[in-house]
Amino acid sequence: MTFRTTDVSYVEDVSPGRGALPPRAWYAASDARSLSLNGSWRFRLSATADAEDDSFAARGYDAGDWAEVSVPGHWVLQGHGAPHYTNHLYPFPVDPPHVPTENPTGDHLRVFDLPGDWPADGDTTLRFDGVESCARVWLNGTELGEFKGSRLPHEFAVGRLLRPGGNVLAVRVHQWSAGSYLEDQDQWWLPGIFRDVTLLYRPPGAVGDFAVHASYDHLTGEGTLRVDSEVAGRVTVPELGVDAATGEAVTAVVEPWTAETPRLYDGVLATGGERVPLRIGFRTVVLQDGLIKVNGRAVLFKGVNRHEWHPEKGRALDPGTMREDVLLMKRHNINAVRTSHYPPHPAFLDLCDELGLWVVDECDLETHGFTEQDWRDNPVDDDRWTPALLDRVARTVERDKNHPSVVIWSLGNEAGTGRGLTAMAEWIRARDPGRLVHYEGDRDCRDTDVYSRMYAFHDEVERIGQGLDGGTRKRRELPFILCEYGHAMGNGPGGLAEYQALFERYDRLQGGFVWEWIDHGIRHPGFGYAYGGDFGEELHDGNFVCDGLLFPDRTPSPGLVEYKKVIEPVRFEGDGADGTVRVVNRYDFADLSSLTLEWSYQVDGETVQAGVLAMPQPAPGASADVKLPEPPAGTRDGEARWTLRAVLAEDTAWAPQGHEVAWTQLPVTGRVRPTVTASSRPVLAEGLIRLGPAVFDARTGSLLRVGAVEMSAPRLDVWRATTDNDDGAEWQTGLRHGPLWRTLGLHRMQHRRDAVEWDSGALTVRTRVAPAAREIGLRTVYRWSADGDRLRLAVSVTPEGDWTVPLPRLGIRFGLAEADPVSWFGGGPGEAYPDSRSASRLGRWRSTVDALQTPYVRPQENGARSDVRWVELGGLRIEGDPEFWFTARRWTSEQLDAARHLTDLTPGKGVWVNLDHALHGIGSQSCGPGPLPRYVLRARPAQFGFVFSEAG
């Protein structure tokens, strides 16, 4: 005999649910009443789906001893259970559609009164904008239904059930359901009611579903507007003089909508019972001549993939946070966003319409975990699941169809291929032929309008641009985008500039979307920010969830600063040697009338004169020459250069006047390298050697101090705390340099002193630096010479043995008692590495040691400054011959390497300084390619030098 108190069979039902109204267009407001049910809800957590019966849904149920949670919110971020991160592995047995009995289930209760003036006629709809992953709903004891599709809206008709006061809304939410098999995205599993819950009054004659069709003819400059409405009414657009019936097409001369010029017209859709405001953008999206064209012009996507994230609230984003995201994107020259891997909160798309971003709107679908069984039983190729897939795509398209920012629909992500995806694509084309269809997993492009790839290496992208990639004829005739590239995990990504050069060289390459927007770190009292495994997960993917261009607190990372520079829409060509510079307009639609061109002239990093030039007005894609001013008189003795900046001429909706959009630097005169005349002689006395301003240990040849500044002896250093990109993705075993470096023992190099020699002009120390258990080594010679005040070190390095791996770095390391403040002439203000240095600007900079650090969620190599001519710190002045890289930190590279979180790093008594002749590139190998060959630091003979003196 079987006993069961609660029927939970719906949890494992592959259908999308029952009881919900058909999907329809979303709009933020109308003149009809609404009541937000967000706020504090009563909450009870059970370990299984059937642990409790449904008596809690009845009026009068006493939930006084229940906990409270905030809605929108996730209960695991409010002290009930714990979050769980996986990249693609399902955290439960793969046996579709079944889920474990251990299925955390949250019962939610909200008691509410209707406002006293709530209308008695008409109807009322209860709307849920997002619940993970399966919900069953009751109102005043009557079951409304249940639904799946976590990031999709669901509505229920409830007017007949409402009472003036004491209404009881009960929602039972299950963490796992059949729907979870369709939501295996790379993110935290976070159950709860995480988007808005709203009661919407629907007066007699209320607006139902409606579709705004606003096309633009770039040949005539005319826009055609037609609003199809489920309920007949009228459409007015006062600015255009439009007053038309629904279903009637009206044509007028308009300014088109683009991401660069997001022109919106305010209108109203009025039916017998409701007035809905419209924000109309006229634009036409087509696939023409093998290219994605908007308003007759091909577009270049300079995009990001955006998961919704907040370090304390998870995916429960407030309007201010959404606006902050869009403003940051615009301020960093980003023009497109892929809503990975589900539709965002609908208010985010309102912001994209208003401020201007191209949007690839992705359906809430991913079944990535089925790769573990070679896609066997994959739901997208199983007809039983097709109704759920069609429901998801319909709820995506119907909700978002009136947004001009949405130019491409995406079927989902990493869900293999199958009949279900074909059915989704066919449904979209029948419903909305005015947009294109995307899906990366469709390599033959059977169902898609775009050839899309992830993390293709540079050489393959170039072959695709040249049309040499093979594949089906249909695919070869389609445009190409990298829907994911530039994996922004930890330090990096490197190689963005080379990707962008390819996008701009070949028309077929229409850009890409960096993965991803923000680190999904969870604020944690013990770790600072927690990542996978910090909550005791059995299966997890560590800090792979922290792979964004923003840190969790929305501070831009060096990667975002680099990306802004790489994709800047104004380019400067030429070196200025002929007195001119070419200004290239890299916008697709806009002119440069919104920008001012500022110039400054620096000598040895200091500005001596500045002014403003007339900004030329080349058409999009065109260029014009600008004449530079005459260099200031009497300024040719030092290292001189021009700096040009394109800045906003006036305030805009997304940035203030003076905001920098693009910049360049043009050298005028070169650097004079430091020279030291070896006039001082080594003097031996009492076990010490004095040479110019320096004192050495006579036995070891170790430098002890320069002038009054004591230091630990500089010696060769080749190790860095490996970056996420050094360590690489597990499937790239043959290319991951971090593990190879450890296998070889580069993190524990030993130093053997072979000789300490001095003569009348120099002190020479001969050493060999090598790892234990290996025959390879680096023969290293330090030669010290000096004049009265300055000490020169010449380093010579000769590899021995068969070096089959690159070096992490090549330079010297030493310690100081203190270093603040730090000032330097070189690249800045932020960090840079060989393949991520586009944003490094030459100048004089000041910092503290602490401010030099980049706070990656998982500590790793960071903080290098490039092209340094000289640096002053701790009372020392150090000049390079040639220019060098420097880092300074309050812990060693070994301590940095051992740390899992920033809280593991404890400042020591001193400061460790690296002066590097060369660094290995960064790449994007945490999920993409490693450094390009020219950024690989091979073990080769090298000579470099530094000049030490006391700072003045």
Side-chain angles (χ1 to χ4, degrees), residues 667-882:
V668 178
T669 58
R671 177 192 178 212
V672 178
R673 298 189 183 279
T675 58
V676 173
T677 301
S679 57
S680 296
R681 299 176 57 128
V683 178
L684 175 63
E686 299 179 349
L688 301 175
I689 295 176
R690 299 182 183 276
L691 179 61
V695 176
F696 297 82
D697 182 295
R699 182 179 62 85
T700 64
S702 299
L703 177 64
L704 303 177
R705 67 177 182 268
V706 175
V709 180
E710 294 186 355
M711 57 198 302
S712 67
R715 64 179 187 174
L716 191 75
D717 190 20
V718 299
W719 179 246
R720 72 185 187 197
T722 55
T723 69
D724 293 313
N725 288 301
D726 291 335
D727 291 336
E730 292 182 358
W731 58 86
Q732 297 168 318
T733 305
L735 300 172
R736 297 160 62 211
H737 290 134
L740 293 175
W741 290 339
R742 293 184 197 280
T743 298
L744 199 59
L746 300 190
H747 59 307
R748 47 176 175 75
M749 299 288 275
Q750 299 182 21
H751 297 251
R752 186 186 74 211
R753 184 177 62 258
D754 290 336
V756 178
E757 307 164 347
W758 63 91
D759 54 28
S760 61
L763 169 66
T764 301
V765 181
R766 304 184 186 277
T767 69
R768 189 175 189 271
V769 182
R774 306 289 174 177
E775 64 177 358
I776 60 172
L778 298 168
R779 186 72 63 178
T780 306
V781 178
Y782 308 91
R783 180 177 175 83
W784 299 93
S785 58
D787 58 21
D789 299 312
R790 307 196 322 152
L791 175 71
R792 176 180 175 82
L793 168 63
V795 182
S796 174
V797 180
T798 304
E800 296 180 337
D802 184 14
W803 281 86
T804 59
V805 300
L807 296 171
R809 70 185 335 136
L810 182 65
I812 62 170
R813 176 169 63 166
F814 60 91
L816 295 172
E818 185 49 82
D820 284 339
V822 182
S823 60
W824 73 98
F825 175 27
E831 75 177 25
Y833 287 83
D835 52 352
S836 60
R837 64 194 296 179
S838 299
S840 182
R841 189 177 331 207
L842 287 172
R844 290 200 188 190
W845 310 101
R846 288 179 62 85
S847 179
T848 63
V849 170
D850 292 339
L852 289 173
Q853 314 310 306
T854 303
Y856 295 112
V857 174
R858 184 191 74 82
Q860 56 198 272
E861 166 63 33
N862 72 90
R865 268 57 179 182
S866 67
D867 302 303
V868 176
R869 278 76 167 140
W870 55 258
V871 60
E872 292 185 353
L873 71 172
L876 274 182
R877 179 182 176 92
I878 306 165
E879 300 170 81
D881 183 15

Side-chain angles (χ1 to χ4, degrees), residues 570-591:
V570 180
R571 295 293 170 82
F572 302 93
E573 295 180 350
D575 59 9
D578 62 354
T580 65
V581 65
R582 178 157 295 171
V583 177
V584 183
N585 181 355
R586 294 298 308 177
Y587 284 113
D588 293 324
F589 298 92
D591 59 27

Side-chain angles (χ1 to χ4, degrees), residues 134 146 161 204 230 259 406 532 578 606 677 695 714 832 939:
C134 173
E146 32 79 16
L161 300 174
E230 182 181 6
V406 176
D578 62 354
E606 293 188 334
T677 301
V695 176

